[in-house]
Amino acid sequence: MTSVLCAGVAVIDFVLSIDEMPRRAEKYRAKDAAIVGGGCAANSAVAVARLGGEAFLASRLGADAVGDMIIADIEAEGVDCRLARRFEGNRSSFSSILVDRNGERQIVNFRDETLDRDASWLEQAELPDFDVALADTRWPEGAEALMRVARLRGKPAIMDVEAPVEIAMSALKTATHLAFSEQGLREFSGKADVVSGLYHALDAAPDAFICVTQGEDGVSWIEGSDVRHEPGFQVAVADTLGAGDIWHGAFALALGEGRAEIEAMRFANAAAAIKCTRFGGRSGAPKRAEVEEFLRERS
């Protein structure tokens, strides 16, 4: 079984479905609601597990009730949380999320900035065998440590490059693969358009594979000195929450299975598209058979 070690943030999301985003300070009534696990690394780990991989999560949590909910939810998905550290006197992260009728989202997140950021233990621990490493920018120290370990083991070291980017520059310089969001690429490069941003990223990391996810428009990447593009799949969107994280988990798993980047990106596009048709954040992450059937129908 292909294994993926993810490092980064894990949260609980309180998701409310509404027609339009609020514009005034008054009461609103939700049409639907869900309490689901969230966080870039945690979502990616769940995606890996649902797609048939072995997933490990390294994260930092408070020793509180929210942390209990986070761990219970992730472990119920089959993710190994032995590397999720709990800290007494700290609070775990959670988010309030509004999703409108078009599936677009607005997120208000709380995180305890006093949580211990040290990640030296991650390099010193007896880490499980893994085929690929994936980290987000929310825990820069953990990302850098994991990228170094993956490099030493000769494994793909993937960074999910979402804003804020500057705080995770050391991890980005160590990664073998940089998978940007559009916002992350703009912040990293200072360029407004994707093509210029990708070339800037190539100059900064000439030895890394560099791509940018573009939502329903798919993904663009650098191949040699050219920018190439793989279109996204057109689906009826119910909720985009977590789609990018699902993409990164699927991409990492496919790379760990030995697929080429172009094949891994198409596989990830399909997994993210399926998720977008379902309300409730990562609870809509697809199973392996669903993705394979989805791709067969569109081959």
Side-chain angles (χ1 to χ4, degrees):
M1 181 183 295
T2 300
S3 59
V4 181
L5 175 52
C6 303
V9 67
V11 309
I12 282 289
D13 292 334
F14 298 88
V15 187
L16 300 174
S17 175
I18 56 177
D19 285 327
E20 296 180 348
M21 293 299 176
R23 294 190 174 94
R24 296 185 300 274
E26 59 185 48
K27 291 183 179 180
Y28 296 85
R29 184 177 296 275
K31 298 188 303 179
D32 199 357
I35 300 175
V36 298
C40 305
N43 285 347
S44 294
V46 168
V48 168
R50 288 201 180 186
L51 291 169
E54 183 179 26
F56 300 91
L57 177 66
S59 190
R60 303 169 303 136
L61 299 166
D64 59 358
V66 171
D68 293 342
M69 293 172 64
I70 291 170
I71 293 297
D73 184 66
I74 298 171
E75 289 185 335
E77 293 283 356
V79 176
D80 189 317
C81 293
R82 74 180 75 170
L83 297 172
R85 300 193 79 182
R86 309 288 297 275
F87 295 91
E88 291 291 342
N90 290 105
R91 291 179 289 173
S92 303
S93 183
F94 60 93
S95 299
S96 175
I97 300 173
L98 303 180
V99 181
D100 70 16
R101 66 165 70 96
N102 297 314
E104 293 303 319
R105 66 197 188 280
Q106 183 181 87
I107 304 173
V108 179
N109 171 256
F110 167 79
R111 69 188 65 174
D112 186 346
E113 298 295 349
T114 67
L115 266 173
D116 188 349
R117 304 179 68 89
D118 176 63
S120 59
W121 61 270
L122 192 56
E123 293 184 90
Q124 297 163 5
E126 291 188 15
L127 298 181
D129 290 335
F130 60 87
D131 297 295
V132 58
L134 171 65
D136 64 40
T137 58
R138 300 299 194 267
W139 181 24
E141 296 83 0
E144 182 181 0
L146 182 57
M147 295 298 99
R148 281 199 296 260
V149 171
R151 282 280 199 172
L152 287 171
R153 294 190 181 188
K155 305 297 185 181
I158 307 168
M159 279 299 299
D160 171 0
V161 192
E162 180 60 271
V165 175
E166 185 64 32
I167 60 175
M169 290 301 295
S170 294
L172 269 60
K173 292 176 182 177
T174 312
T176 61
H177 293 69
L178 301 178
F180 289 88
S181 69
E182 289 185 281
Q183 181 184 0
L185 184 62
R186 285 194 300 271
E187 182 179 307
F188 178 79
S189 67
K191 308 294 184 182
D193 67 286
V194 163
V195 172
S196 296
L198 285 171
Y199 281 126
H200 177 93
L202 180 63
D203 289 339
D207 297 326
F209 175 84
I210 299 167
C211 66
V212 56
T213 57
Q214 299 170 273
E216 64 181 8
D217 292 329
V219 59
S220 296
W221 74 99
I222 294 279
E223 187 171 297
S225 59
D226 299 322
V227 173
R228 295 188 59 190
H229 181 75
E230 175 72 19
F233 295 101
Q234 299 304 304
V235 296
V237 175
D239 174 13
T240 61
L241 179 65
D245 306 328
I246 302 306
W247 191 97
H248 287 89
F251 177 70
L253 178 63
L255 280 186
E257 292 172 345
R259 302 192 194 198
E261 282 85 359
I262 177 60
E263 187 181 357
M265 289 186 290
R266 181 172 171 80
F267 179 78
N269 281 355
I274 294 170
K275 183 269 141 317
C276 286
T277 66
R278 301 166 177 172
F279 175 74
R282 77 165 178 232
S283 64
K287 301 285 189 179
R288 182 62 167 254
E290 294 177 297
V291 176
E292 292 176 346
E293 178 63 22
F294 184 92
L295 287 170
R296 279 195 297 270
E297 293 174 350
R298 290 157 178 80
S299 60

